[in-house]
Amino acid sequence: MAYRKGVKVIKSNQIFSYNKEVKVEYTGEEVRLSSRRKQEIEKFWLDVNKEQQFFRGDTFSIQSIVEQDDVMNIKLSLTDYAHYLHTVRHHITDQEGCKIVYGAGLIETKDGQFVIGKMASHTAYPDRLQCAGGGLGWEDITGRYFNVENSVLREVNEEFGIEHDTIEQCTPIYLMKTAGYDHLVILFHIKIELVARELLEDYQRFATELISQGEKPEFQEVIFVEKKRDAVERLFEENAHHAVDYLYPFLMKMVDDE
């Protein structure tokens, strides 16, 4: 999918204006790893997934990023979740690390509250604060290109139970290259037609229904943050060690740009 207006880049958690089209393309190739790295990943996976709580699904890793005058072309190759989890759990930054592109959507309610989630204990990142979002999947590919907005809206529905007909706006506004792993995050601002109270009531019904079906919600808690700088600062004074790396700069930029 292409993003033209208002796209910006965050480097080392800093935000800069960046007005380029962004294309995320699937190469059709598989990631090539050394025998040694493959063995490390297999051993790691057997250990970390003893209780079979994770699914070793397909994941897409960055093969190359080429910037031209008006376009950023990102090419992805196929790998799997074991490769990704091994990379982040062992803080691997070499050429064989899994470097992903993913979307994250900051939801804003009709009454000016930002919505984030606290990850549940059964997930890969218990207690972590983050926006709705996740990695790209096969369902996000049209032709050779990934539709990152489609991925984000799917995650918003799966994680918060928010239906598409309540979404007023979904706009990609920042692009962040994370320090260390070289992951690329496309950050969306999502406005919904619900006030915070309505969203919370809907989420509680959604979570109850999941549990009744034998499933577990991704988030153990929905957190509302007033769209003010001091509210964001208070949140991070208490939770900085539990927040995903993009969350603080994203929230601060959103309140500072008002």
Side-chain angles (χ1 to χ4, degrees):
M1 186 172 184
Y3 307 112
R4 291 185 179 277
K5 295 180 67 177
V7 177
K8 304 178 182 180
V9 168
I10 306 170
K11 293 183 178 179
S12 300
N13 294 339
Q14 298 297 315
I15 298 175
F16 301 93
S17 295
Y18 205 94
N19 298 311
K20 291 190 178 184
E21 180 181 9
V22 177
K23 293 183 177 180
V24 185
E25 181 181 359
Y26 175 47
T27 64
E29 301 174 359
E30 293 187 12
V31 171
R32 296 180 181 179
L33 299 173
S34 65
S35 296
R36 179 179 178 180
R37 183 56 54 83
K38 288 179 181 178
Q39 291 172 2
E40 291 174 355
I41 293 171
E42 293 302 323
K43 182 179 179 181
F44 162 78
W45 186 252
L46 289 174
D47 182 58
V48 77
N49 203 33
K50 287 177 181 177
E51 299 180 3
Q52 298 185 346
Q53 66 183 110
F54 303 126
F55 173 64
R56 192 170 182 171
D58 291 336
T59 301
F60 300 90
S61 183
I62 297 172
Q63 182 184 92
S64 66
I65 299 177
V66 177
E67 294 194 47
Q68 299 172 331
D69 290 341
D70 58 352
V71 180
M72 174 184 284
N73 292 294
I74 305 168
K75 294 189 176 183
L76 307 183
S77 298
L78 181 65
T79 184
D80 66 18
Y81 186 69
H83 182 201
Y84 164 76
L85 198 59
H86 178 263
T87 295
V88 297
R89 289 286 180 90
H90 289 85
H91 308 288
I92 292 172
T93 59
D94 63 24
Q95 291 300 311
E96 290 193 303
C98 181
K99 302 170 177 61
I100 66 169
V101 173
Y102 64 100
L106 179 60
I107 298 165
E108 181 181 343
T109 64
K110 200 169 184 178
D111 53 345
Q113 297 283 329
F114 290 134
V115 185
I116 58 177
K118 185 175 184 179
M119 296 294 284
S121 59
H122 68 278
T123 65
Y125 303 99
D127 297 327
R128 188 172 77 173
L129 304 186
Q130 64 177 63
C131 297
L136 301 173
W138 291 108
E139 60 267 61
D140 302 316
I141 298 178
T142 302
R144 302 194 321 270
Y145 292 94
F146 287 92
N147 184 328
V148 186
E149 179 178 329
N150 180 75
S151 173
V152 169
L153 291 177
R154 184 180 68 253
E155 296 291 343
V156 165
N157 177 256
E158 293 178 358
E159 295 178 353
F160 283 107
I162 295 174
E163 299 295 338
H164 288 190
D165 60 3
T166 66
I167 294 173
E168 176 186 333
Q169 169 189 313
C170 180
T171 307
I173 55 174
Y174 303 125
L175 183 65
M176 173 175 163
K177 184 177 181 182
T178 65
Y181 303 123
D182 289 335
H183 298 328
L184 209 63
V185 192
I186 298 174
L187 300 169
F188 289 75
H189 181 204
I190 300 172
K191 288 188 175 183
I192 61 173
E193 296 177 349
L194 304 173
V195 298
R197 175 184 53 79
E198 292 171 326
L199 187 151
L200 184 58
E201 291 173 353
D202 286 353
Y203 178 78
Q204 290 170 341
R205 286 192 290 268
F206 167 72
T208 299
E209 184 175 350
L210 282 181
I211 293 169
S212 71
Q213 296 171 354
E215 300 181 41
K216 297 179 180 179
E218 288 288 306
F219 293 131
Q220 60 178 293
E221 183 181 352
V222 177
I223 298 172
F224 295 96
V225 185
E226 192 174 2
K227 194 176 180 179
K228 293 183 178 179
R229 184 182 181 90
D230 59 349
V232 173
E233 289 177 340
R234 282 197 303 273
L235 174 72
F236 281 89
E237 284 172 3
E238 300 172 1
N239 298 284
H241 60 296
H242 282 313
V244 67
D245 53 4
Y246 64 74
L247 191 57
Y248 181 76
F250 191 9
L251 285 170
M252 292 303 291
K253 187 63 178 173
M254 291 295 293
V255 295
D256 286 346
D257 279 354
E258 283 296 304

